[in-house]
Amino acid sequence: MTRTLLALLFCLAYLSSCTREQPKLSLQQLDIVRLQQSWLKVEVLSDSMIVPWDLETDSQGFLWVAEQEGKVSRINLSTAEKKVMLVISDVWQQRTSGLLGMAVHPDFANNPFVYLNYTVKKDSLISSRLFRYKLDKDSLTDPILLLEIEGGTSHNGSRLAFGPDGKIYWATGDTHDFTYAQNSEKLNGKILRMNPDGSIPSDNPDPGSLVWAKGFRNMQGLTFSDSGLLYTSEHGDAIEDEVNLIIAGGNYGWPIIEGMHDLDPEKVFAGENQTIEPIRSWTPVIAPAGIAFYGEKTIPEWTNTLLLTTLKGKSLRILQLSQDGKTILDEEILFENHYGRLRDVTVGPKGEIYLSTSNKDWNPQPGFPLPGDDKILKISLTDQVVPSPLEAIKPAEPLTLNGEQLYLNYCASCHKANGTGLSEVFPTLAGSTLVKGNVNPLIQLVLKGKNQMPAFGFLSNREAAEILTYIRQNWGNQASEITSAQVEENR
């Protein structure tokens, strides 16, 4: 054997060993989580973003991230390298408008298309646009407008998802015009179903309409199960945030019905319109956001669950489904108040899970944003076994709450824990003449609502009195207490 051949073989062997011994992806580890059988680690995949609203994985090993301000990035899940693929100049961002829904084609190798929904404003007209983009090397190009509907400063939804039938589903919000959700001539407050080119499928409930289901307020999550069931998460008004199982042609009741069909007017409307109840609702509200079906075996405790991120609840909810997927049997809560507001969740190619925080959005909570926010968090199995304060826990049994606790449950997400509110959106309660003045207008406002203030008439007389007394006697306010009898007089 010649010296040259020996040298060549040595080089090949060396290169082969280098390939085998490439270092593993190293990420900043934050926490260890103990489940019944498994131990999970939480790591930071990417940080310093601005409200990463939507996360999607493609079939090529990448995570796509849509930030609310109009930026789309792609993260290599093997190296954590992030590249900006698109910056949309005409995105209009205010409160919960902006770049919202995103979907990547399930057969991305042969159909390298990314679908984006975002809000635009021209003069005083706000609209919500759905575009299809094409991947060209390291950029998204060739935008094609598929659909444009009415938009607003909030209640735009919006989520996109491909179904197993190859169709695109778009969850739209009612844009604060509640009548739209039941109006068959409007595409707001609906789930829309379309072909990948934006045309109407011939097998829609109405072959002349994109509407797949109606009667929604403001959906923030949309996901399909392995068996093809479609689920949504939706913000209630003052009560009854929802998870719904979607049936073609179904009516989900809003604005006549909120949550379960338990009030007399709701029962009448339900009987006349065959409306469908949610499979889970929450009061006090938790502000459910992104939702993903977990059908993997990687984390066995979570197989056949819905993973739900929450904004007000600042938690990840694991909703255990029945075998047929039509009911929710159990709920576990992780990370409550730990990472802050959680906006979206998606499942990776190896059964790992990705979450996005939303601590730089329009409604920051006390103590947030944290250093490095907003982040993409990765949850995966680990062999490391240590005691952890972040074990999955069941929801606590309901308690009799005092005024402060009731205020934190129902009011603090808008008016803040210290009563300062949010400038030009939610008025401050500290020093407010309405809060400190005549009790009757204040009680009626809380019970019946006005403009963007929801009605809290579902509160018992005691609960309403406790909350109102609390806000009248805190943050420098020094007003008299309000009694249950005074609340009853104003109903």
Side-chain angles (χ1 to χ4, degrees):
M1 185 177 294
T2 67
R3 183 175 300 177
T4 302
L5 182 56
L6 284 172
L8 178 60
L9 292 173
F10 175 81
C11 288
L12 290 173
Y14 175 77
L15 290 173
S16 176
S17 67
C18 288
T19 302
R20 290 196 305 269
E21 296 173 6
Q22 283 182 340
K24 294 182 179 180
L25 177 64
S26 178
L27 301 176
Q28 177 193 358
Q29 185 168 304
L30 298 180
D31 290 296
I32 298 293
V33 182
R34 180 182 180 182
L35 304 181
Q36 292 178 347
Q37 307 172 46
S38 309
W39 291 80
L40 308 178
K41 59 183 174 182
V42 183
E43 302 168 285
V44 178
L45 179 70
S46 188
D47 61 14
S48 303
M49 295 185 174
I50 307 294
V51 194
W53 193 284
D54 204 318
L55 306 177
E56 303 291 335
T57 54
D58 66 22
S59 57
Q60 307 301 297
F62 292 92
L63 176 71
W64 291 79
V65 183
E67 296 175 68
Q68 190 183 6
E69 64 180 359
K71 184 186 295 182
V72 180
S73 301
R74 187 178 69 170
I75 301 176
N76 187 317
L77 294 178
S78 298
T79 66
E81 179 188 14
K82 183 179 75 172
K83 289 186 178 180
V84 176
M85 312 297 285
L86 175 69
V87 177
I88 307 172
S89 60
D90 61 340
V91 167
W92 183 70
Q93 180 188 354
Q94 182 175 319
R95 294 184 65 183
T96 55
S97 65
L99 174 55
L100 305 177
M102 177 172 61
V104 297
H105 197 286
D107 183 12
F108 201 71
N110 296 310
N111 297 277
F113 298 120
V114 175
Y115 294 76
L116 299 172
N117 163 240
Y118 61 87
T119 318
V120 298
K121 185 177 182 180
K122 186 175 182 180
D123 298 324
S124 61
L125 181 65
I126 303 172
S127 61
S128 185
R129 294 177 175 175
L130 176 63
F131 279 91
R132 189 190 76 181
Y133 287 80
K134 183 177 182 180
L135 176 65
D136 182 8
K137 297 179 181 177
D138 289 333
S139 302
L140 291 178
T141 63
D142 302 330
I144 297 176
L145 178 62
L146 300 183
L147 185 63
E148 185 168 10
I149 65 174
E150 290 186 44
T153 57
S154 60
H155 288 214
N156 291 291
S158 158
R159 295 293 180 182
L160 299 168
F162 268 91
D165 54 7
K167 311 300 184 185
I168 303 172
Y169 293 74
W170 181 11
T172 69
D174 65 11
T175 69
H176 269 306
D177 189 326
F178 298 163
T179 64
Y180 283 5
Q182 293 293 326
N183 186 341
S184 59
E185 300 301 315
K186 298 290 184 178
L187 297 180
N188 300 86
K190 311 291 194 303
I191 294 176
L192 310 180
R193 178 177 182 258
M194 64 188 74
N195 294 315
D197 62 1
S199 61
I200 302 173
S202 60
D203 57 347
N204 272 6
D206 177 353
S209 171
L210 291 168
V211 175
W212 185 251
K214 67 179 182 179
F216 303 101
R217 181 176 180 269
N218 191 29
M219 289 171 285
Q220 295 282 293
L222 187 71
T223 190
F224 281 91
S225 72
D226 288 347
S227 62
L229 297 179
L230 176 59
Y231 303 91
T232 65
S233 60
E234 181 178 358
H235 287 188
D237 191 4
I239 57 173
E240 300 221 63
D241 286 341
E242 302 176 5
V243 166
N244 285 294
L245 173 61
I246 304 303
I247 306 299
N251 186 342
Y252 290 79
W254 177 257
I256 309 303
I257 297 175
E258 185 172 11
M260 309 305 289
H261 304 168
D262 48 11
L263 302 177
D264 288 341
E266 294 178 335
K267 293 176 183 177
V268 171
F269 186 84
E272 293 173 347
N273 296 274
Q274 291 77 53
T275 54
I276 301 169
E277 285 188 311
I279 59 174
R280 180 76 169 90
S281 70
W282 291 266
T283 301
V285 292
I286 59 173
I291 191 170
F293 175 78
Y294 193 81
E296 308 292 330
K297 306 293 186 183
T298 307
I299 305 174
E301 295 92 331
W302 293 357
T303 302
N304 195 38
T305 63
L306 295 173
L307 306 178
L308 178 69
T309 54
T310 71
L311 300 166
K312 181 178 178 181
K314 299 189 287 294
S315 61
L316 174 67
R317 309 280 172 127
I318 298 93
L319 309 178
Q320 185 66 56
L321 293 167
S322 59
Q323 187 172 359
D324 63 6
K326 296 182 179 180
T327 57
I328 292 174
L329 304 177
D330 197 8
E331 176 179 0
E332 294 180 334
I333 304 174
L334 279 179
F335 312 134
E336 193 164 24
N337 298 314
H338 193 66
Y339 300 122
R341 290 160 67 85
L342 297 179
R343 177 65 64 176
D344 199 20
V345 56
T346 193
V347 180
K350 298 179 181 178
E352 76 278 22
I353 295 161
Y354 299 95
L355 307 175
S356 64
T357 70
S358 191
N359 293 320
K360 292 182 179 178
D361 63 22
W362 71 287
N363 193 17
Q365 299 301 297
F368 298 92
L370 299 172
D373 273 332
D374 277 323
K375 305 180 183 77
I376 307 297
L377 303 177
K378 176 183 178 181
I379 303 174
S380 58
L381 290 175
T382 181
D383 295 330
Q384 186 177 355
V385 178
V386 296
S388 171
L390 291 177
E391 297 184 14
I393 58 173
K394 302 289 191 302
E397 292 296 321
L399 304 173
T400 300
L401 304 180
N402 61 28
E404 179 181 14
Q405 294 164 330
L406 289 164
Y407 174 85
L408 292 174
N409 274 347
Y410 292 105
C411 313
S413 62
C414 296
H415 295 287
K416 308 304 179 188
N418 59 4
T420 57
L422 191 64
S423 177
E424 299 182 1
V425 182
F426 302 123
T428 180
L429 303 179
S432 165
T433 55
L434 175 63
V435 169
K436 298 188 297 183
N438 186 296
V439 300
N440 292 330
L442 177 63
I443 295 173
Q444 290 175 18
L445 175 64
V446 169
L447 294 180
K448 299 175 184 178
K450 186 178 181 180
N451 298 327
Q452 292 190 33
M453 169 74 176
F456 286 82
F458 62 87
L459 293 172
S460 69
N461 291 339
R462 180 198 71 81
E463 291 171 330
E466 291 265 8
I467 291 176
L468 290 168
T469 297
Y470 177 75
I471 67 173
R472 281 168 62 85
Q473 296 183 348
N474 281 278
W475 318 305
N477 298 333
Q478 297 180 358
S480 62
E481 71 176 36
I482 289 178
T483 67
S484 296
Q486 288 173 305
V487 175
E488 177 60 31
E489 289 172 3
N490 281 277
R491 285 194 181 273

